[in-house]
Amino acid sequence: FDFSTACQLPSNALYLCVYQSSKEFIEDYLGWCVGNVRDGSPVAPILAALLSETVCVLFEVPHDVVTQKVQMQHAGEPFTPSWRTPSRGWGVARQVWEKEGVGGLYSGIDAHLLTYLPWSMTWWATYELGKVVLGEFMDWGPANVGAGIIAGLFSAIISNPLHVIKTRMQCDPAANQVGVLGLFASIVANEGPTALFKGVTVA
């Protein structure tokens, strides 16, 4: 049972539950002032995405920190499983905890929120509105697929620069000390603006 699974399962379940319940609550009780998705208002999915993404940092940030540190390790680096660290991910998590404390597992939390809040809000707003628009011209299934593709494209482009900054802050303590704005300026000055869009095709 890897560290990644231990974080992702509760995170995904919590995210979807919080999003769906908060979106329904907002539309049912606040729809009179924020509007409804069916009427072309993106406010409910934006607020629901904001809430669900904020709640899930409890699991998502430690997962990101540990996963990135595992990926940066050399393939031949020795590791001996034990009951306390049954996998390399748990081993890295324990090392971070012992050396940096709980704060080390939440390194770059500000960059994480700055990355995934815009991504999540853009994805859900585009997806929900896309379903309504495409649903006028096609069946439910193709409309959902099309809305998902469009939402993925828009959200990846918008959030990729912040994702680059987040990854560097979580993997490099020196970059983390500079801060989001300082690292942003450094990347643009030393590597050019295109460096902020590395990996956008993968995303």
Side-chain angles (χ1 to χ4, degrees):
F1 194 61
D2 192 56
F3 184 84
S4 177
T5 305
C7 289
Q8 287 295 87
L9 286 180
S11 176
N12 291 342
L14 182 62
Y15 181 93
L16 293 175
C17 288
V18 171
Y19 174 80
Q20 191 61 39
S21 58
S22 57
K23 173 178 171 289
E24 292 176 358
F25 178 87
I26 292 169
E27 290 188 332
D28 290 344
Y29 296 97
L30 301 176
W32 60 273
C33 64
V34 301
N36 193 286
V37 171
R38 291 185 297 274
D39 301 324
S41 172
V43 177
I46 287 176
L47 294 179
L50 174 66
L51 179 60
S52 57
E53 194 65 59
T54 302
V55 170
C56 288
V57 297
L58 177 66
F59 300 102
E60 290 178 354
V61 177
H63 169 261
D64 278 356
V65 170
V66 171
T67 298
Q68 289 159 9
K69 288 184 180 295
V70 169
Q71 292 172 343
M72 293 177 66
Q73 289 182 341
H74 297 295
E77 188 170 333
F79 171 76
T80 303
S82 68
W83 69 272
R84 297 182 67 181
T85 55
S87 69
R88 192 176 292 272
W90 285 107
V92 169
R94 184 183 176 189
Q95 290 175 2
V96 173
W97 179 279
E98 291 176 346
K99 292 181 179 179
E100 307 175 43
V102 66
L105 291 173
Y106 289 91
S107 174
I109 189 173
D110 52 347
H112 179 96
L113 288 172
L114 284 173
T115 300
Y116 286 105
L117 286 179
W119 182 92
S120 192
M121 291 187 291
T122 302
W123 197 95
W124 282 109
T126 307
Y127 174 71
E128 297 284 5
L129 293 176
K131 285 194 303 181
V132 175
V133 174
L134 295 177
E136 299 290 330
F137 307 98
M138 58 185 73
D139 294 333
W140 179 85
N144 274 268
V145 173
I149 293 173
I150 296 171
L153 176 63
F154 275 94
S155 57
I157 293 173
I158 288 175
S159 66
N160 200 81
L162 291 169
H163 187 77
V164 170
I165 293 173
K166 174 189 73 73
T167 301
R168 297 197 185 188
M169 290 182 70
Q170 289 178 330
C171 295
D172 184 358
N176 194 33
Q177 293 176 359
V178 172
V180 174
L181 294 178
L183 186 55
F184 176 87
S186 175
I187 292 174
V188 172
N190 298 322
E191 304 174 46
T194 56
L196 295 170
F197 292 93
K198 287 181 179 178
V200 68
T201 55
V202 177

